[in-house]
Amino acid sequence: MSLTRSLILAAALLLAGTAYATEVSMAGGSVGFSTPDSWVSIMETQGDPEVRVFQVPDPSPTAASSLARVTVTVKQVSDLAAFERYVASATQRAKSLTGYQAAGNPYGPNSYAYTASENGTPYRYSERYWFANNHAIQLRCARPARSEAGAAWAAGFDKGCDTVAASLAR
C-alpha cells in the first residue's frame, strides 16, 4: 500500500471516529441523542431503568485490559426531589469505588468528575445528570486515565462524551 493511500485511509478512519450519525432513542422516544458511528453498542436494557452502554474503541494495547465506555441511564422519577435522591445515590456509589478521588464539577451543577480504579487500572470518570419529563438521565463516561493510544484518542473520547451531553441537554 502506498504512503499516500495509507494516509488517506488513516484520515478517513479519524474522520469516521468523529462522525455523529447513530441516533439513539430511549424512554419511549422522550430521550434521544447521537453517538459516533465508531462506538459499539455492547449492552441495552429495557424497562426502568433503561440503560445503553457503548464501547469506545481504543486502538492501542491498553484495550486488552481496559474498557473505555459511555453509559446512558434513564430512570423514571416522580419529581425533582426524587431526581435529587437518584443523583445522590449514584454519587454515593461512585464514592465507594476503589481509589475514588473527586476532580470537581467541570460542567456545572449535576456534573461530577473523578478518578478511581477498576481491577487495578486507573480510570477517569465524568458523570452528568438531567431531569426531564419525569426522568432522571445519567451520562457516565469512563476511560482509562492513561491509554497507549495517546492524548489525541483521550481528547476524542472526551469530545464524544461532550457531544452526547449536548444532545441530551436539549
Side-chain angles (χ1 to χ4, degrees), residues 7-73:
L7 289 173
I8 291 170
L9 178 60
L13 289 172
L14 283 173
L15 289 174
T18 58
Y20 295 87
T22 303
E23 297 297 321
V24 180
S25 178
M26 297 176 72
S30 66
V31 175
F33 56 95
S34 299
T35 67
D37 280 337
S38 63
W39 289 10
V40 180
S41 180
I42 59 173
M43 188 180 97
E44 178 178 346
T45 67
Q46 299 296 317
D48 188 39
E50 186 176 347
V51 180
R52 294 290 301 263
V53 182
F54 302 90
Q55 177 183 1
V56 180
D58 178 342
S60 75
T62 307
S65 61
S66 62
L67 179 66
R69 63 199 178 277
V70 174
T71 305
V72 177
T73 303

Side-chain angles (χ1 to χ4, degrees), residues 67-92:
L67 179 66
R69 63 199 178 277
V70 174
T71 305
V72 177
T73 303
V74 179
K75 170 115 177 90
Q76 291 182 337
V77 293
S78 57
D79 54 24
L80 187 56
F83 167 74
E84 290 169 349
R85 286 190 299 276
Y86 175 82
V87 173
S89 175
T91 309
Q92 195 58 40

Side-chain angles (χ1 to χ4, degrees), residues 73-161:
T73 303
V74 179
K75 170 115 177 90
Q76 291 182 337
V77 293
S78 57
D79 54 24
L80 187 56
F83 167 74
E84 290 169 349
R85 286 190 299 276
Y86 175 82
V87 173
S89 175
T91 309
Q92 195 58 40
R93 278 192 306 277
K95 289 178 180 179
S96 71
L97 294 172
T98 303
Y100 172 89
Q101 290 291 316
N105 302 66
Y107 307 104
N110 297 321
S111 73
Y112 306 91
Y114 57 94
T115 58
S117 292
E118 289 184 16
N119 301 317
T121 300
Y123 267 75
R124 181 190 177 282
Y125 297 86
S126 166
E127 293 185 8
R128 301 175 217 191
Y129 299 86
W130 297 270
F131 176 63
N133 301 319
N134 283 11
H135 289 96
I137 304 165
Q138 177 197 45
L139 170 64
R140 184 176 195 237
C141 302
R143 66 170 170 80
R146 288 179 280 296
S147 168
E148 293 175 64
W153 177 83
F157 178 96
D158 294 344
K159 180 180 176 187
C161 286

